[in-house]
Amino acid sequence: MDIQYVAPRTLDEAVRAFAAAAGAGRILAGGTDLLVQMRNGVVAPGTIVDIKKIGELTSIEETKDGGFRVGAAVSGAVLREHAKLSKVWPGVVEATNLIGSTQVQGRATPGGNLCNGSPAGDSVPAMVAAGAIVTIQGPNGRREMPVEKVPKGPGRLNLEPGEIVVSFTLPPRGKGSSDAYLRMIPRTEMDIAVVGCGVSLTMDGGTCTAARVGLGAVAPTVLLVEEAAKALIGSKLDDAALAKAAAACSAACRPIDDKRGTIAYRTKVAGVLLKRTTLIAAERAGGK
Amino acid sequence: MAKLHVSTTINGEPQEFLCDADQSMLDVLRGPLGLTGAKEGCGTGDCGACTITLNGRIVCSCLMLAAEAEGQQIGTIEGMAGEELHPLQQKFLESAALQCGICTPGVLMAAKALLEKNPDPTEHEVRFWLAGNLCRCTGYDKIIRAVMDTAADMRAAR
Ligand SMILES: Cc1cc2nc3c(=O)[nH]c(=O)nc-3n(C[C@H](O)[C@H](O)[C@H](O)COP(=O)(O)OP(=O)(O)OC[C@H]3O[C@@H](n4cnc5c(N)ncnc54)[C@H](O)[C@@H]3O)c2cc1C
Ligand code: FES
Ligand code: FES
């Protein structure tokens, strides 16, 4: 069959084209996963639907309540250049900016990172920690879901056929709030996370009053670790609270053994990263 | 297979070409357009030898569909020198910052984009910016030094 390329200007057209292509359709955002997979013969799309000509998918807007709506097809480079977003959500921006090289940054998108379905995607744990809500549009209209509900397993998503991820909505932030993301890789650049950890928290007079923790690369999907957040909330982020939260992260791990890291290593590093990431987020939030 | 017709701008000149829907920009540059400066080192985004600019941003042309060039501004290494070599090109020659030269077009494209954004980068910033440009010959030091030296020359000339 002839392979088609379409670059619709509206989301409705994109949804129609994607649905019409049925199983043979592929969304193209930055292409940094898709083109590699096409080249390796892992996927052979019948129709490629390029979503980068659609305004809603390629823009960053402040919402009325002071949050942000980030289009799914905004590149990492554009995210980083958004001064206000970088200030309010530094963890989300730094996580997205760990994806690949400068060249990859010019193209790679948070929507593609999520929809590729890798448990090691760097922006995903930060989005999970941030409490991002994903807007999805498909043949049956629009719906929203928390970002952590989107992945189903490696390469598999809880999306219906024909659905496209439109945007990530980041909530407004109160005083004393910030976030951070750290990953462990065997090299300093250009590698896949052995563990990734995103922490978002609020500090009030030295006490942590709200927290969310996202963990990547340690289970079939990125995890929201509520037990770790519970251990942080109400504490002064003292050693005992950090140790308890770290233990919760290690306990949540169901990792694989591979050349990048063994099960024991990943499980231990998950806890170590939780401590370090929490302290960075707290520092950004105005200190302990 | 029906070909797509694409109208784009390459190095400031209007350009039209026909391509397949799944053909990469790198293939079209090196094939029908005869612009063989961009190299294919890996074809999977890892080496940076295929670096071009898309609307001023560096990208791997092996990870871009040729069809995506429609209406966009493309820059390739062929557009880097004017009457004279670009200061980076001159410096790379003088300081032997290349050996086989396969990585060089990509490194130059990336380094030029860096200096346009940041005329006074630290060595750390240069190394991270160029982390997606692999070189099997030079050991990188000469490349990094040439970029730092060019940046200093260009600042002094301003
Ligand atoms: C050299 C290199 C280094 C890399 N390093 C990293 C790294 O350090 N960390 C990391 O996490 N990743 C890394 N990656 C992987 C990749 O760059 C990221 O996953 C990136 O975020 C993918 O985004 P994209 O826009 O390019 O996705 P695309 O390739 O365009 O899409 C990826 C998948 O998601 C689907 N899709 C995309 N957007 C949507 C949407 N809005 N709705 C529905 N489906 C959609 C596509 O159909 C495709 O299946 C690297 C890749 C390369 C080539
Ligand atoms: S050929 Fe494009 S990055 Fe190697
Ligand atoms: S000079 Fe040979 S790869 Fe860089």
Side-chain angles (χ1 to χ4, degrees):
Chain A
M1 200 182 85
D2 260 13
I3 170 163
Q4 311 277 330
Y5 166 88
V6 291
R9 304 232 163 226
T10 68
L11 188 53
D12 286 340
E13 283 173 78
V15 167
R16 264 199 301 279
F18 192 33
R26 278 287 169 158
I27 298 294
L28 171 70
T32 61
D33 281 315
L34 184 62
L35 266 73
V36 175
Q37 291 160 6
M38 282 167 57
R39 190 186 162 96
N40 295 340
V42 182
V43 295
T47 302
I48 298 170
V49 183
D50 185 348
I51 53 174
K52 293 191 297 298
K53 300 263 182 342
I54 306 169
E56 191 179 359
L57 274 83
T58 49
S59 56
I60 302 174
E61 279 167 20
E62 283 185 57
T63 55
K64 279 194 215 80
D65 59 4
F68 290 89
R69 203 198 51 76
V70 178
V74 170
S75 72
V78 169
L79 266 190
R80 173 159 58 182
E81 286 164 16
H82 196 292
K84 187 147 184 209
L85 182 71
S86 302
K87 191 155 175 271
V88 180
W89 289 103
V92 168
V93 173
E94 77 192 338
T96 312
N97 274 279
L98 281 172
I99 298 173
S101 57
T102 318
Q103 287 87 333
V104 170
Q105 275 300 301
R107 303 267 293 166
T109 68
N113 203 217
L114 178 66
C115 295
N116 190 53
S118 163
D122 281 305
S123 69
V124 185
M127 287 285 189
V128 167
I133 301 294
V134 173
T135 300
I136 296 158
Q137 188 148 326
N140 299 322
R142 208 169 248 243
R143 63 187 181 120
E144 294 190 334
M145 64 167 124
V147 64
E148 62 271 18
K149 299 275 191 251
V150 176
K152 191 183 206 165
R156 293 185 307 129
L157 307 174
N158 288 310
L159 295 186
E160 300 299 326
E163 282 189 323
I164 299 176
V165 170
V166 178
S167 60
F168 298 82
T169 302
L170 299 169
R173 303 238 77 182
K175 211 171 135 269
S177 299
S178 200
D179 67 332
Y181 175 80
L182 282 180
R183 70 172 179 186
M184 168 64 211
I185 53 173
R187 305 193 284 172
T188 44
E189 259 285 77
M190 302 287 288
D191 208 342
I192 299 170
V194 170
V195 181
C197 179
V199 175
S200 169
L201 48 68
T202 302
M203 300 298 292
D204 185 359
T207 301
C208 175
T209 56
R212 282 174 66 92
V213 174
L215 264 190
V218 294
T221 65
V222 170
L223 303 174
L224 171 69
V225 191
E226 284 169 329
E227 287 304 314
K230 270 189 213 153
L232 298 176
I233 296 169
S235 82
K236 298 214 173 275
L237 304 185
D238 48 278
D239 290 349
L242 288 174
K244 202 170 161 204
C249 281
S250 294
C253 292
R254 281 170 286 133
I256 53 166
D257 245 327
D258 75 359
K259 63 182 177 203
R260 289 199 167 73
T262 60
I263 291 174
Y265 182 71
R266 287 174 193 259
T267 305
K268 171 143 203 234
V269 169
V272 174
L273 281 193
L274 176 279
K275 292 184 193 172
R276 292 182 189 171
T277 315
T278 300
L279 292 176
I280 295 170
E283 182 67 39
R284 287 177 182 166
K288 285 214 272 172
Chain B
M1 191 185 271
K3 297 261 182 187
L4 294 170
H5 178 260
V6 175
S7 305
T8 186
T9 305
I10 301 184
N11 299 326
E13 302 281 335
Q15 181 83 56
E16 302 193 13
F17 59 80
L18 295 173
C19 67
D20 294 328
D22 58 352
Q23 205 171 0
S24 74
M25 189 68 218
L26 178 62
D27 268 0
V28 169
L29 285 174
R30 293 185 53 82
L33 297 180
L35 296 171
T36 54
K39 305 288 185 255
E40 178 168 274
C42 65
T44 52
D46 295 292
C47 76
C50 65
T51 301
I52 61 168
T53 58
L54 170 62
N55 303 326
R57 261 185 224 291
I58 54 168
V59 301
C60 297
S61 59
C62 71
L63 295 188
M64 171 184 169
L65 293 177
E68 293 182 66
E70 175 68 37
Q72 315 295 313
Q73 298 278 339
I74 303 290
T76 71
I77 187 68
E78 285 83 357
M80 192 161 177
E83 289 289 298
E84 287 174 14
L85 290 179
H86 185 279
L88 277 165
Q89 293 173 308
Q90 191 62 43
K91 185 69 75 186
F92 269 54
L93 280 176
E94 287 165 7
S95 44
L98 66 152
Q99 289 176 32
C100 77
I102 293 286
C103 70
T104 314
V107 171
L108 287 169
M109 290 301 287
K112 177 165 173 275
L114 170 64
L115 297 189
E116 281 165 4
K117 207 176 138 84
N118 179 1
D120 192 7
T122 62
E123 179 178 333
H124 187 80
E125 286 168 334
V126 175
R127 286 189 185 271
F128 268 89
W129 184 272
L130 296 178
N133 291 89
L134 303 187
C135 175
R136 298 192 69 171
C137 307
T138 65
Y140 299 103
D141 266 341
K142 288 187 167 181
I143 292 178
I144 305 299
R145 245 180 292 144
V147 174
M148 298 291 292
D149 291 350
T150 310
D153 290 354
M154 287 174 77
R155 286 196 304 277
R158 265 197 316 200

Coordinates of all heavy atoms in Angstrom, one line a residue, chain A residues 39 103, chain B residues 26 39-51 59-63 132, ligand 2:
Chain A
R39 N 12.8 3.2 10.5 CA 14.0 2.8 9.8 C 14.4 1.4 10.2 O 14.9 0.6 9.4 CB 15.1 3.8 10.2 CG 16.4 3.6 9.4 CD 17.5 4.4 10.0 NE 18.7 3.9 9.5 CZ 19.3 4.3 8.4 NH1 18.9 5.3 7.7 NH2 20.5 3.8 8.0
Q103 N 20.3 18.6 19.0 CA 19.6 18.3 17.8 C 18.2 17.6 18.1 O 17.2 18.0 17.5 CB 20.4 17.4 16.8 CG 21.6 18.0 16.1 CD 22.9 18.0 16.9 OE1 22.8 18.0 18.2 NE2 24.0 18.0 16.3
Chain B
L26 N 17.5 13.9 4.9 CA 18.9 13.6 4.6 C 19.0 12.9 3.2 O 19.8 13.2 2.4 CB 19.5 12.7 5.7 CG 20.9 12.3 5.5 CD1 21.9 13.5 5.4 CD2 21.4 11.3 6.5
K39 N 26.2 14.3 6.3 CA 26.6 12.8 6.1 C 25.6 11.9 6.9 O 25.0 12.4 7.9 CB 28.0 12.6 6.7 CG 29.0 13.6 6.1 CD 29.4 13.1 4.7 CE 30.5 14.0 4.1 NZ 30.1 15.0 3.2
E40 N 25.5 10.7 6.4 CA 24.8 9.7 7.2 C 25.8 8.9 8.0 O 26.5 8.0 7.4 CB 23.9 8.8 6.4 CG 23.2 7.8 7.2 CD 22.1 7.0 6.5 OE1 21.0 7.6 6.5 OE2 22.4 6.0 6.0
G41 N 25.8 9.1 9.3 CA 26.7 8.3 10.2 C 26.0 7.1 10.7 O 26.5 6.0 10.9
C42 N 24.7 7.4 11.1 CA 24.0 6.3 11.8 C 22.6 6.1 11.3 O 22.0 5.0 11.3 CB 24.0 6.6 13.3 SG 23.1 8.1 13.8
G43 N 22.0 7.2 11.0 CA 20.6 7.2 10.5 C 19.6 7.1 11.6 O 18.4 6.9 11.4
T44 N 20.0 7.2 12.9 CA 19.1 7.0 14.0 C 19.3 8.1 15.1 O 18.9 7.9 16.2 CB 19.3 5.7 14.7 OG1 20.7 5.5 15.0 CG2 18.9 4.5 13.8
G45 N 19.8 9.3 14.7 CA 19.8 10.4 15.6 C 21.0 10.4 16.6 O 21.0 11.3 17.4
D46 N 21.9 9.5 16.5 CA 22.9 9.4 17.5 C 24.2 10.2 17.3 O 24.9 10.6 18.2 CB 23.3 7.9 17.8 CG 22.1 7.1 18.3 OD1 21.8 7.4 19.5 OD2 21.6 6.3 17.6
C47 N 24.5 10.4 16.0 CA 25.9 10.8 15.7 C 26.0 12.3 15.3 O 27.0 12.9 15.4 CB 26.5 10.0 14.6 SG 25.9 10.3 12.9
G48 N 24.9 12.9 14.8 CA 24.9 14.3 14.4 C 25.6 14.6 13.1 O 25.7 15.8 12.8
A49 N 26.1 13.6 12.4 CA 26.8 13.9 11.1 C 25.8 14.5 10.1 O 26.3 15.2 9.1 CB 27.4 12.7 10.5
C50 N 24.5 14.4 10.3 CA 23.5 14.8 9.3 C 22.9 16.1 9.7 O 21.8 16.5 9.2 CB 22.4 13.8 9.2 SG 21.5 13.6 10.8
T51 N 23.5 16.8 10.7 CA 22.9 18.1 11.3 C 22.7 19.1 10.2 O 23.6 19.5 9.4 CB 23.8 18.6 12.4 OG1 24.0 17.6 13.4 CG2 23.2 19.9 13.0
V59 N 18.8 20.3 13.8 CA 18.1 19.0 13.9 C 18.9 17.9 13.1 O 19.7 18.3 12.3 CB 16.6 19.1 13.3 CG1 15.8 20.1 14.0 CG2 16.7 19.3 11.8
C60 N 18.6 16.7 13.4 CA 19.2 15.6 12.6 C 18.3 15.4 11.4 O 17.1 15.0 11.5 CB 19.2 14.3 13.5 SG 20.1 14.4 14.9
S61 N 18.9 15.6 10.2 CA 18.1 15.5 9.0 C 17.7 14.0 8.7 O 16.8 13.7 8.0 CB 18.8 16.1 7.8 OG 20.0 15.4 7.6
C62 N 18.4 13.1 9.4 CA 18.0 11.6 9.2 C 16.7 11.4 10.0 O 16.0 10.4 9.7 CB 19.1 10.7 9.7 SG 19.4 10.7 11.5
L63 N 16.3 12.2 11.0 CA 15.1 12.0 11.8 C 14.0 13.0 11.4 O 13.1 13.3 12.2 CB 15.4 12.1 13.3 CG 16.3 11.1 13.9 CD1 16.3 11.2 15.4 CD2 15.9 9.7 13.5
G132 N 25.8 15.7 20.9 CA 25.1 14.9 19.9 C 25.9 14.8 18.6 O 25.4 14.4 17.6
Ligands
FES2 S1 23.0 10.2 10.6 FE1 21.6 11.5 11.6 S2 22.3 11.4 13.6 FE2 23.6 10.0 12.6

